[in-house]
Amino acid sequence: MSRSNKIRGGRDDNNKWKGNGSGPGDGFRRALLAGAIALLLLLPGAGFAADPVPADNTVKAAVAAVDNLLITTPPPPPNVRPPVLAWGMGNGKSRVIPALEILGFEALLNVYGRIVYPDDVDPNYSEGHKVYGVTPSTAWRHLTKGPWGFDGDSFQVNQIQHPYQGAVYQGFARSAGLGFWESAAYTFLGSFVWEVAGETTKPSINDQVASGLGGSLLGEPLFRLSSLVLEDGGYNPGFWRELSAAVLSPPAGFNRHAFGDRFKGVFPSHSPATFTRVRLGWTLTEHASGSGADNDVVRNEGTLDYYLAYGLPGKDGYTYDRPFDYFDFQFTAVSSRNVFENIMTRGLLYGKKYEAGDNYRGVWGLYGSFDYISPQVFRVSSTTLSLGTTGQWWLTRAVALQGSAFGGIGYGAAGTVHSTEFRDYHYGGVGQGLLAARLIFGDKAMLDMTAREYYISGLGSTQTDGSERIFRGNASLIVSLYKRHGLGIQYNMSRRDASSPDFPGTHQTVGSWSIAYNFLGDSRFGAVEWRPGEIKSR
């Protein structure tokens, strides 16, 4: 990608807050983690607990009365989408076309760089050559000798633009009828070709991970979203559906309109249980400390947040045979210079569904995730593989608990945000964990809590003696106002503790409150109903 945002090498500014003492966010952090422990009830072992002592009639009557107050709308009808043209079979599938498209796309990127940045030279990374002045000799040298290393691009270029570049590769292959794994190979090889022959800069390990691996994990949800929009339109999606689908996945939109009916077939979703939420609101950053917090924090921001859970466990007849038949996708855009506060996705690569009793259903297995989080004063990004589980438990007739638990390893980056593009982030092996719990009270309200932890180590790092520990937690409450319209309040707490030989004890925290209007894709907050008696009685 563009080298216009080149940044200098370096590490943290000296921080006035030394040591690792308790900060103002510790209480919230402990409370959030304690609340998320409820997620342990979602694990398969919950189904083997001792039988409860039957409640007396008074308690049963009280619970039934509360359930009746919490539900006034029936379960949604089965989400069955009309059939569409065949996808990925016969004349609607090609291995040659996406390969040529990826190479053509990279050629256009190089030509764009030659025109817009004709004299861009980086003495540290492009060996004195113009960055986009690629020749057969430079490409051959990169292929045979490398050397592979780390580039000097800005954090946003490396951790947003490069993964999106990989998502374009994934979209070309997927919309040409190829499966996830085959498309992921195209994405990885496409990234490799760009590193070797797209620029004169030395091939970059971090870009190969971000584009070649993170690109598939970001591109697959975008492709699925695009297909879902088209699938809901039946045989003849209207203009607005076609436009929306093309915005979500431009390579898929290109293939649909550039090759006639060949790639008109829409990827079959198999009608997953889904939950979407669009949030439009205002955020007040009420607390910020540490490096970069004095002058660079925008206290008031407008926010736009989109969230989709796709393939929620519990729906009868739905299977998890294909990668990303279950995934979560979320992005948050803000009105400050950050633009994107977070982009997060995780999807089931291989797993199985399971049950524990009549009231619990879940899925477990291997997940792939891509995260980008930037709460104003620092940022973190990771590409990881995790083992985990996602499930739903009906606590009463009306109250449901959904949740997820994950732990895994990968590769990522973290560092401070400066007012200028000063290089203050480093790469390294990542250990990552997540606990999430969502308590749904019929069609009246939803309480959501999530805790994420990242450890950026010195393994495979640009700063071998440095490490970062980052926590991101949020708690939100949404109350239904009318059908699918709700009002919500949310609190986010982010904390970074980093150390290196030069700047030990760097500590940064950010806390913010948000109030927002929420438009919900489901009047019952995505609770999946599979109990025949409950479906029949409403």
Side-chain angles (χ1 to χ4, degrees), residues 301 332-334 338-343 372-375 472 492:
E301 299 176 290
T332 303
V334 295
N338 272 1
V339 183
F340 290 108
E341 182 172 297
N342 60 65
I343 302 172
Y372 172 92
I373 300 173
S374 181
R472 170 81 164 182
N492 278 320

Side-chain angles (χ1 to χ4, degrees), residues 37-374:
I37 294 301
L39 189 64
L40 295 176
L41 298 175
L42 294 174
L43 299 177
F48 303 100
D51 291 335
V53 177
D56 58 34
N57 292 336
T58 303
V59 174
K60 289 182 178 179
V63 171
V66 172
D67 284 342
N68 289 332
L69 289 173
L70 292 176
I71 299 179
T72 56
T73 59
N79 192 10
V80 178
R81 294 178 169 84
V84 293
L85 295 174
W87 173 90
M89 295 183 291
N91 195 40
K93 182 177 182 178
S94 174
R95 291 183 174 88
V96 175
I97 289 176
L100 295 176
E101 287 177 326
I102 291 171
L103 293 176
F105 177 74
E106 292 181 333
L108 289 175
L109 281 181
N110 181 269
V111 170
Y112 173 83
R114 289 173 184 260
I115 296 172
V116 178
Y117 309 107
D119 300 318
D120 191 9
V121 176
D122 190 311
N124 295 322
Y125 297 98
S126 65
E127 302 169 320
H129 301 287
K130 293 181 179 180
V131 171
Y132 294 98
V134 178
T135 64
S137 62
T138 60
W140 179 252
R141 183 168 64 253
H142 289 162
L143 181 63
T144 58
K145 297 181 180 180
W148 285 76
F150 300 90
D151 66 20
D153 285 340
S154 70
F155 195 88
Q156 287 192 339
V157 168
N158 278 340
Q159 302 307 124
I160 293 183
Q161 292 184 26
H162 282 209
Y164 188 76
Q165 182 176 344
V168 171
Y169 303 158
Q170 183 81 5
F172 278 133
R174 288 295 269 143
S175 58
L178 304 185
F180 172 82
W181 292 114
E182 198 171 4
S183 299
Y186 276 66
T187 301
F188 190 85
L189 291 173
S191 176
F192 179 82
V193 170
W194 177 260
E195 292 305 310
V196 170
E199 302 170 323
T200 61
T201 54
K202 300 173 184 178
S204 171
I205 296 171
N206 52 279
D207 286 351
Q208 184 64 33
V209 173
S211 301
L213 300 178
S216 291
L217 301 176
L218 177 61
E220 184 66 14
L222 296 177
F223 170 74
R224 292 269 188 140
L225 274 168
S226 175
S227 299
L228 205 61
V229 170
L230 294 170
E231 193 178 24
D232 283 340
Y235 281 104
N236 297 299
F239 170 79
W240 291 112
R241 286 190 180 276
E242 291 282 4
L243 179 61
S244 299
V247 169
L248 289 168
S249 181
F254 175 82
N255 277 347
R256 280 183 62 81
H257 296 285
F259 294 94
D261 288 338
R262 178 163 189 177
F263 300 132
K264 284 288 188 180
V266 177
F267 180 81
S269 67
H270 297 172
S271 297
T274 61
F275 174 61
T276 58
R277 183 198 66 222
V278 179
R279 176 187 292 153
L280 182 63
W282 169 78
T283 296
L284 169 65
T285 299
E286 52 87 24
H287 168 74
S289 65
S291 177
D294 296 335
N295 302 315
D296 298 330
V297 172
V298 178
R299 298 292 176 176
N300 294 279
E301 299 176 290
T303 59
L304 172 65
D305 179 271
Y306 175 83
Y307 171 81
L308 167 69
Y310 179 109
L312 288 165
K315 183 174 180 179
D316 286 330
Y318 187 74
T319 60
Y320 299 90
D321 300 326
R322 306 168 301 180
F324 277 74
D325 275 341
Y326 166 81
F327 71 84
D328 267 27
F329 175 79
Q330 181 179 8
F331 80 85
T332 303
V334 295
S335 58
S336 66
R337 63 188 175 92
N338 272 1
V339 183
F340 290 108
E341 182 172 297
N342 60 65
I343 302 172
M344 299 177 289
T345 181
R346 64 179 185 270
L348 181 68
L349 298 175
Y350 179 80
K352 299 290 184 180
K353 59 182 181 179
Y354 62 94
E355 300 180 11
D358 295 332
N359 294 323
Y360 178 86
R361 291 186 179 181
V363 61
W364 73 275
L366 179 68
Y367 292 75
S369 66
F370 170 78
D371 289 353
Y372 172 92
I373 300 173
S374 181

Side-chain angles (χ1 to χ4, degrees), residues 45 78 88 201 307 421 424 481:
T201 54
Y307 171 81
E421 284 296 341
D424 183 32
L481 300 177

Side-chain angles (χ1 to χ4, degrees), residues 247-520:
V247 169
L248 289 168
S249 181
F254 175 82
N255 277 347
R256 280 183 62 81
H257 296 285
F259 294 94
D261 288 338
R262 178 163 189 177
F263 300 132
K264 284 288 188 180
V266 177
F267 180 81
S269 67
H270 297 172
S271 297
T274 61
F275 174 61
T276 58
R277 183 198 66 222
V278 179
R279 176 187 292 153
L280 182 63
W282 169 78
T283 296
L284 169 65
T285 299
E286 52 87 24
H287 168 74
S289 65
S291 177
D294 296 335
N295 302 315
D296 298 330
V297 172
V298 178
R299 298 292 176 176
N300 294 279
E301 299 176 290
T303 59
L304 172 65
D305 179 271
Y306 175 83
Y307 171 81
L308 167 69
Y310 179 109
L312 288 165
K315 183 174 180 179
D316 286 330
Y318 187 74
T319 60
Y320 299 90
D321 300 326
R322 306 168 301 180
F324 277 74
D325 275 341
Y326 166 81
F327 71 84
D328 267 27
F329 175 79
Q330 181 179 8
F331 80 85
T332 303
V334 295
S335 58
S336 66
R337 63 188 175 92
N338 272 1
V339 183
F340 290 108
E341 182 172 297
N342 60 65
I343 302 172
M344 299 177 289
T345 181
R346 64 179 185 270
L348 181 68
L349 298 175
Y350 179 80
K352 299 290 184 180
K353 59 182 181 179
Y354 62 94
E355 300 180 11
D358 295 332
N359 294 323
Y360 178 86
R361 291 186 179 181
V363 61
W364 73 275
L366 179 68
Y367 292 75
S369 66
F370 170 78
D371 289 353
Y372 172 92
I373 300 173
S374 181
Q376 296 212 53
V377 300
F378 66 86
R379 54 266 180 107
V380 60
S381 180
S382 67
T383 300
T384 60
L385 291 176
S386 301
L387 289 175
T389 183
T390 302
Q392 178 180 312
W393 185 12
W394 282 108
L395 301 177
T396 73
R397 175 173 166 265
V399 180
L401 176 63
Q402 293 178 341
S404 298
F406 300 94
I409 58 175
Y411 198 71
T416 295
V417 173
H418 286 282
S419 57
T420 60
E421 284 296 341
F422 182 82
R423 176 63 176 265
D424 183 32
Y425 68 91
H426 84 281
Y427 288 94
V430 172
Q432 181 172 325
L434 177 144
L435 289 174
R438 181 182 300 135
L439 195 58
I440 301 170
F441 301 94
D443 57 6
K444 298 299 187 291
M446 177 180 76
L447 177 64
D448 200 346
M449 302 181 73
T450 304
R452 291 178 168 85
E453 189 91 24
Y454 304 86
Y455 176 73
I456 314 294
S457 71
L459 180 65
S461 174
T462 54
Q463 184 77 24
T464 55
D465 295 325
S467 65
E468 317 234 355
R469 187 179 297 276
I470 292 172
F471 170 82
R472 170 81 164 182
N474 67 71
S476 67
L477 174 67
I478 300 176
V479 177
S480 176
L481 300 177
Y482 176 72
K483 293 185 178 179
R484 294 193 293 169
H485 305 273
L487 183 65
I489 186 170
Q490 175 175 264
Y491 185 74
N492 278 320
M493 169 57 69
S494 303
R495 170 172 174 159
R496 171 179 176 246
D497 292 292
S499 64
S500 71
D502 297 326
F503 302 104
T506 299
H507 178 85
Q508 295 167 294
T509 60
V510 180
S512 62
W513 287 96
S514 300
I515 186 169
Y517 159 76
N518 292 261
F519 181 75
L520 309 171

